[in-house]
Amino acid sequence: MTLEAPFGSWESPLTAEVIVAASVGLGGPAFAGGDLWWSELRPDEGGRVQVVRSGPNGPVDVLPDGFSARTRVHEYGGGAWWLHGDRDEPGSDVTLYFANWADQRLYRLDTGGDGVPVAISPEPDQPQAFRFADGVVTHDGERTICVREWHGAPGATEARNEIVVLPTDGSSEPTVLVGGARGPDFVSSPRLGPDESSLCWLQWNHPDMPWDDAELWVAELDRGSVVATPTLEGAVRLAGGGGEAVAQPRWDPDGRLWFVSDRHGWWDLYAFAEPGRPDATSPIDEQLRADDGDWAQAHWVFGQSWFDFVPDGRGMIACRRKDGTDQLAWRAAPEGGDDGSSAWGEPVWLDLDVTAVDGVVAGPDGAVGLIAASLRSEPRVVTIDTRSSRPDRFELRVERPARELGLAADRISVPEHLEFPTPPGANGAPAVAYVLFYAPTNPDFVGPPGQLPPLIVMSHGGPTSSARPQLNLSVQYWTSRGFAVADVNYRGSTGYGRSFRLALNDRWGIADVDDCIAAARYLAGHNRVDGNRLAIRGGSAGGYTTLCALTFHDEFTAGCSLYGVADLEALALDTHKFESRYLDRLIGPYPERRDLYVERSPIHHTDSLATPLIILQGLEDEIVPPAQAEMMVAALRQKGVPFAYLAFEGEQHGFRQAPNIRRALEAELFFYSRVFGFDLAEDIEAVEIENL
């Protein structure tokens, strides 16, 4: 029986408790010891990251109590663990290397040993002064090469980012291979060539972010140096820089170096024409054009992988993002002869239940592992069996299923990918942006006749990021209660090419806000939503967009800022190294253009703010410090604008603890119920709303 009830008040089986229960954030994957490995961020364990190994009797947790594989390099982390062992022999011993969250030291754990991790990096004078990520291990297991971030280096005014090599038994301190006092500002992706005579890596400098300009370098690594005093010789830049961003370098089984580059406007796939260590004059073949899509994503975290080669040499699998959706392609390798790269087959698109991908790695017996989600499934750990000679017969196997939600298909709101017009850019040319639109969906309820649903506009973080095309219960939480949701890919988002990605340069707080407003107007103009009940929410950079929309415009009637930026100048002066010059591109160089920072900071224009707002903030956030939220709260209180403020102990940039995730979601729902004037169908803890 279908009941009539006001939008927003529908009773839903998707409670905040259900959303948090047994939720995990999946990472990796990787192959070693004949098995697939991955990581799980577990909110019900206080945000701990566990490393998991598949096996004949099911997945097994690897880390003992008291350890968490999570790194603070760049604060966003990623690439916090790596493996050494026989890739093909099932059940064989493997050595796990990981950065431990509590002390940030590098540890090793031998699966054939006593199961106790042993620190192999020295204990620093100051807590967490040395942080590690993104490593590889030499074939003999004697050395590991990885990224180190050194806080408090003598004479340094900011953290020092380096590529180092250290013995895996911890017998001596790390030796710097790339970096040091005169090295690049940032490094990532150290990758050994198949014969270990070459090492490639990425590097970039302030004020660039890795998606602006990133360079691919290679150098000779003396094979004897791996067990003695390691050094690199003859380092040369191969690609990138000067308006080109390179990503994801990888050597294929034949020893050719591949990489992703946006030199032609999209992140396309390239390879050097000949095996071995290339030089600056080596010819490069264009391997895969994305056809108005990207074969990479923004390098926010370490360890990203969107393509890999099947070890038996039959081909490769790669992922492309196009029109807001991730798509997997198989490409057959050359069958022999002297054709070289030109003999690679055309991409064959795989018809699998996958719309969002994180991590693509090849393993034994033609298996390819990945983290995959769809519009009706949360992320899962899966393998694709590529042994068939026909890609249309490749089989997908679920190794770690998504949690069982018991949701029938008619309870899931499946988004539409829409293009809509938006105000012109700085050059006055017509502009468009994109949105994933979710309609209210609940088979038990309909809205009152003649009424349209309220809309929640979601502004993703980054801002150089994107809305993910996958089942997201934090979206379904709202649609199942009668809200419509618009997850906006505003100008500056990834997945739509370099020019769209850079369209936010000099215009953060303007173009992104214009696009969020344009999305709401577009949907209201097409009678999809109620134009008088529009909310906007966002976290981090999305929180800044939210605060700007509410401060400088009057389109929205409610908002929610999660650890959002209120003062750009304070952010420029008090944030971590990785993003410390990000605003040079998005706003302008500081302090030369301090006027723009003040002009676009909501905290300096609270006299224009009159929209009810709820602010949610972690008290240990070092990316957007709590002082930003507290300044905004003080201004709201003084001006008499209705607001609520919840601060969470023990949370950093993004909430990871189950009780806090649940409380934040319920608090936001309670806030909207009071602002939009509908009754709640469930009993949740009230939130103090001042000035209402």
Side-chain angles (χ1 to χ4, degrees):
M1 178 179 176
T2 302
L3 302 177
E4 181 183 303
F7 291 106
S9 70
W10 298 353
E11 185 176 0
S12 170
L14 278 177
T15 64
E17 184 70 37
V18 168
I19 289 176
V20 171
S23 66
V24 297
L26 298 174
F31 282 98
D35 296 321
L36 184 64
W37 298 58
W38 63 88
S39 62
E40 299 184 0
L41 188 156
R42 298 172 175 173
D44 59 359
E45 295 183 20
R48 179 191 185 203
V49 178
Q50 174 64 270
V51 179
V52 181
R53 180 179 186 174
S54 65
N57 298 317
V60 177
D61 289 354
V62 177
L63 296 180
D65 291 343
F67 291 89
S68 176
R70 184 177 162 207
T71 179
R72 290 190 61 185
V73 179
H74 292 182
E75 294 299 338
Y76 293 103
W81 57 276
W82 52 96
L83 306 168
H84 181 260
D86 189 319
R87 180 169 57 183
D88 300 330
E89 184 61 33
S92 58
D93 291 342
V94 174
T95 301
L96 166 69
Y97 299 90
F98 68 96
N100 185 46
W101 174 249
D103 57 9
Q104 289 298 295
R105 296 177 71 188
L106 190 61
Y107 286 75
R108 67 175 287 168
L109 189 157
D110 298 306
T111 61
D114 59 9
V116 178
V118 176
I120 65 170
S121 65
E123 185 173 1
D125 294 334
Q126 299 296 323
Q128 300 189 351
F130 296 130
R131 307 171 184 185
F132 300 89
D134 205 9
V136 294
V137 184
T138 55
H139 294 330
D140 59 12
E142 297 288 335
R143 299 273 175 175
T144 184
I145 299 173
C146 61
V147 173
R148 181 181 71 177
E149 188 173 86
W150 184 3
H151 291 253
T157 58
E158 61 183 358
R160 183 176 292 168
N161 293 76
E162 307 161 321
I163 294 175
V164 299
V165 58
L166 67 159
T168 55
D169 62 2
S171 58
S172 63
E173 294 194 359
T175 298
V176 176
L177 296 177
V178 180
R182 298 184 179 180
D185 292 322
F186 300 97
V187 291
S188 77
S189 312
R191 301 293 182 259
L192 283 167
D195 64 359
E196 298 191 338
S197 66
S198 302
L199 181 76
C200 71
W201 68 92
L202 300 178
Q203 65 181 54
W204 65 97
N205 292 298
H206 288 313
D208 293 320
M209 300 298 285
W211 47 83
D212 296 321
D213 284 69
E215 300 173 347
L216 173 62
W217 285 69
V218 70
E220 179 183 357
L221 179 67
D222 187 339
R223 302 177 95 176
S225 71
V226 173
V227 293
T229 303
T231 58
L232 292 178
E233 298 178 2
V236 295
R237 183 178 67 85
L238 299 175
E244 176 187 1
V246 173
Q248 298 182 46
R250 184 184 296 276
W251 303 85
D252 71 16
D254 294 328
R256 289 201 308 160
L257 180 57
W258 295 59
F259 61 97
V260 177
S261 167
D262 63 357
R263 58 179 57 183
H264 295 307
W266 300 85
W267 267 320
D268 295 324
L269 198 55
Y270 298 84
F272 285 90
E274 301 295 333
R277 184 172 60 257
D279 60 34
T281 64
S282 298
I284 298 174
D285 293 330
E286 183 177 67
Q287 290 294 335
L288 281 177
R289 272 289 182 99
D291 294 329
D292 295 345
D294 283 327
W295 294 100
Q297 55 187 326
H299 186 156
W300 280 102
V301 296
F302 293 98
Q304 294 178 349
S305 174
W306 270 26
F307 71 96
D308 202 0
F309 306 92
V310 177
D312 61 15
R314 291 182 301 105
M316 65 182 294
I317 279 188
C319 179
R320 173 185 76 173
R321 179 164 296 172
K322 179 179 172 65
D323 296 334
T325 299
D326 295 347
Q327 304 165 319
L328 290 166
W330 168 261
R331 195 177 188 209
E335 296 182 358
D338 299 324
D339 291 339
S341 62
S342 63
W344 279 81
E346 291 299 314
V348 178
W349 300 104
L350 303 183
D351 186 16
L352 301 170
D353 184 24
V354 174
T355 58
V357 171
D358 277 311
V360 176
V361 293
D365 298 325
V368 174
L370 58 149
I371 310 298
S374 73
L375 298 179
R376 296 187 181 277
S377 172
E378 291 186 293
R380 305 159 290 170
V381 181
V382 304
T383 53
I384 300 173
D385 186 344
T386 68
R387 288 175 295 182
S388 173
S389 60
R390 292 180 50 181
D392 61 343
R393 293 182 178 177
F394 287 177
E395 296 181 359
L396 185 146
R397 173 181 173 181
V398 177
E399 307 291 343
R400 201 286 188 193
R403 53 185 165 162
E404 179 55 53
L405 298 169
L407 284 180
D410 61 356
R411 290 190 177 274
I412 297 175
S413 180
V414 175
E416 304 171 57
H417 181 262
L418 303 174
E419 177 183 296
F420 60 90
T422 194
N427 61 3
V432 298
Y434 307 90
V435 64
L436 295 175
F437 176 68
Y438 298 81
T441 303
N442 187 324
D444 300 329
F445 293 92
V446 295
Q451 287 193 13
L452 293 171
L455 174 68
I456 297 176
V457 171
M458 290 188 170
S459 174
H460 63 70
T464 313
S465 185
S466 63
R468 297 303 306 274
Q470 66 186 49
L471 178 63
N472 182 347
L473 295 191
S474 294
V475 171
Q476 305 296 323
Y477 180 83
W478 302 110
T479 58
S480 65
R481 285 166 171 76
F483 287 87
V485 172
D487 206 353
V488 180
N489 277 325
Y490 48 77
R491 282 168 287 182
S493 301
T494 57
Y496 301 92
R498 182 178 176 92
S499 61
F500 189 84
R501 191 172 73 245
L502 300 187
L504 198 59
N505 283 1
D506 300 324
R507 294 178 60 77
W508 192 33
I510 299 174
D512 51 323
V513 176
D514 285 346
D515 293 352
C516 287
I517 292 173
R521 288 175 175 170
Y522 177 84
L523 294 167
H526 284 75
N527 294 319
R528 306 293 296 273
V529 301
D530 184 348
N532 294 315
R533 291 188 295 169
L534 303 174
I536 183 170
R537 73 185 304 274
S540 188
Y544 170 68
T545 301
T546 294
L547 294 175
C548 285
L550 301 179
T551 302
F552 302 120
H553 304 268
D554 58 5
E555 195 75 24
F556 296 99
T557 49
C560 174
S561 171
L562 298 97
Y563 34 91
V565 178
D567 187 339
L568 292 172
E569 186 174 21
L571 180 66
L573 295 172
D574 184 20
T575 193
H576 59 120
K577 177 186 175 183
F578 180 61
E579 291 184 282
S580 63
R581 302 288 299 279
Y582 192 11
L583 302 192
D584 283 29
R585 293 280 188 258
L586 296 174
I587 303 294
Y590 184 88
E592 293 86 345
R593 293 311 311 269
R594 180 179 179 272
D595 59 315
L596 294 178
Y597 286 71
V598 173
E599 178 183 312
R600 296 191 207 167
S601 293
I603 194 63
H604 296 303
H605 304 278
T606 53
D607 56 318
S608 301
L609 182 60
T611 304
L613 174 65
I614 181 170
I615 298 176
L616 307 170
Q617 176 71 39
L619 291 178
E620 295 183 11
D621 191 339
E622 295 193 19
I623 295 174
V624 179
Q628 296 258 341
E630 291 159 5
M631 286 189 295
M632 204 68 190
V633 165
L636 290 163
R637 181 175 288 123
Q638 182 179 18
K639 193 168 186 294
V641 176
F643 77 94
Y645 176 52
L646 279 75
F648 296 96
E649 296 279 356
E651 291 288 10
Q652 294 87 40
H653 197 65
F655 303 153
R656 291 174 172 84
Q657 300 179 37
N660 297 335
I661 297 171
R662 181 173 61 249
R663 176 60 174 148
L665 200 55
E666 291 181 342
E668 188 177 352
L669 174 61
F670 181 88
F671 185 79
Y672 292 150
S673 73
R674 293 299 179 264
V675 172
F676 288 146
F678 59 82
D679 295 326
L680 293 172
E682 56 206 292
D683 184 19
I684 61 177
E685 183 180 351
V687 176
E688 180 184 0
I689 304 175
E690 296 189 34
N691 304 324
L692 185 65

